[in-house]
Amino acid sequence: MRILVPFEAAQPKTRLDGVLDADERGAFARAMLRDVLDACLDAGHDPEVVATAPIADVSVPTTVDDRPLSDAVNARLAATDEPLAVVVADLALLTPSAVDRLVDAAADAAIAIAPGRGGGTNGLVVAHPDFRVDFHGVSYRDHRDAADALGVDARVVDSMRLSTDVDEPADLVEVLLHGEGEAAAWLREAGFAVADGEGRVSVRRE
């Protein structure tokens, strides 16, 4: 299946500004992107990057599109009659089996949705010609409402690896604990480690 992977290349991961400088944020974001692409490729699918600015260190087709995410994705939905998947670029824990779960959920449903924490949408498979995305606000709820409005079934994929996107410094703990790819290795090489405490674990940088 064709899988779109949108990527903010101009100013990636600004909410990690407190722990990573601009160059580090760019390098870490690209490491997560490559992990996502590898998972999609290893699952036998055809990922392509839709980036807001040129990037050079990925091995799959890449298109520069500086429109808002929803507009960029909807333009591609309107231009195809085939099912189309969307997976966000900061799923550092993604595995081929998690990609398969998302794609397989759409085998007998028009829409498959992988919710993110906090009401977002981290993955979609769209197999209905009239469905359009809206990634702003509580997009998980909005996407379910859009499917209901079309009178079609939307399957929800409950997956820790699909729900864990990396936006905040606290999210780095999940990458260090559960990540097995390039992003986890990048954090360790940059000096990050899990910090045990009396409450929830956090990260420290050596």
Side-chain angles (χ1 to χ4, degrees), residues 6-206:
F7 182 66
E8 171 52 62
Q11 294 183 319
K13 294 294 137 195
T14 55
R15 283 186 278 174
L16 295 177
D17 185 53
V19 293
L20 298 174
D21 65 29
D23 288 342
E24 289 174 327
R25 292 198 308 273
F28 180 56
R30 291 191 298 274
M32 290 193 291
L33 170 65
R34 288 190 291 271
D35 283 343
V36 169
L37 297 176
D38 286 346
C40 294
L41 289 166
D42 289 347
H45 300 289
D46 299 313
E48 58 185 83
V49 178
V50 180
T52 57
I55 53 175
D57 48 357
V58 297
S59 58
V60 304
T62 302
T63 302
V64 174
D65 191 331
D66 61 3
R67 288 177 291 183
L69 171 58
S70 298
D71 293 343
V73 172
N74 284 332
R76 287 158 175 81
L77 286 172
T80 183
D81 296 324
E82 299 294 326
L84 183 65
V86 184
V87 176
V88 298
D90 58 356
L91 300 182
L93 309 185
L94 194 64
T95 60
S97 61
V99 177
D100 283 339
R101 284 192 62 195
L102 176 65
V103 173
D104 291 347
D108 56 356
I111 309 295
I113 307 172
R117 295 173 298 178
T121 301
N122 287 352
L124 274 172
V125 180
V126 179
H128 191 286
D130 297 325
F131 186 88
R132 296 295 180 265
V133 303
D134 183 355
F135 283 100
H136 303 291
V138 189
S139 63
Y140 165 67
R141 180 187 62 196
D142 295 341
H143 288 141
R144 293 199 68 176
D145 289 347
D148 287 343
L150 290 170
V152 298
D153 187 24
R155 297 293 174 87
V156 177
V157 181
D158 182 5
S159 164
M160 180 269 286
R161 292 187 177 275
L162 282 162
S163 68
T164 305
D165 48 336
V166 179
D167 287 317
E168 308 282 353
D171 299 333
L172 301 180
V173 171
E174 306 301 331
V175 183
L176 290 168
L177 286 174
H178 304 293
E180 300 174 354
E182 187 174 337
W186 189 95
L187 287 175
R188 295 186 182 99
E189 290 170 7
F192 286 91
V194 173
D196 261 338
E198 293 185 358
R200 296 187 65 175
V201 296
S202 59
V203 296
R204 68 176 189 274
R205 193 171 192 180
E206 300 169 346

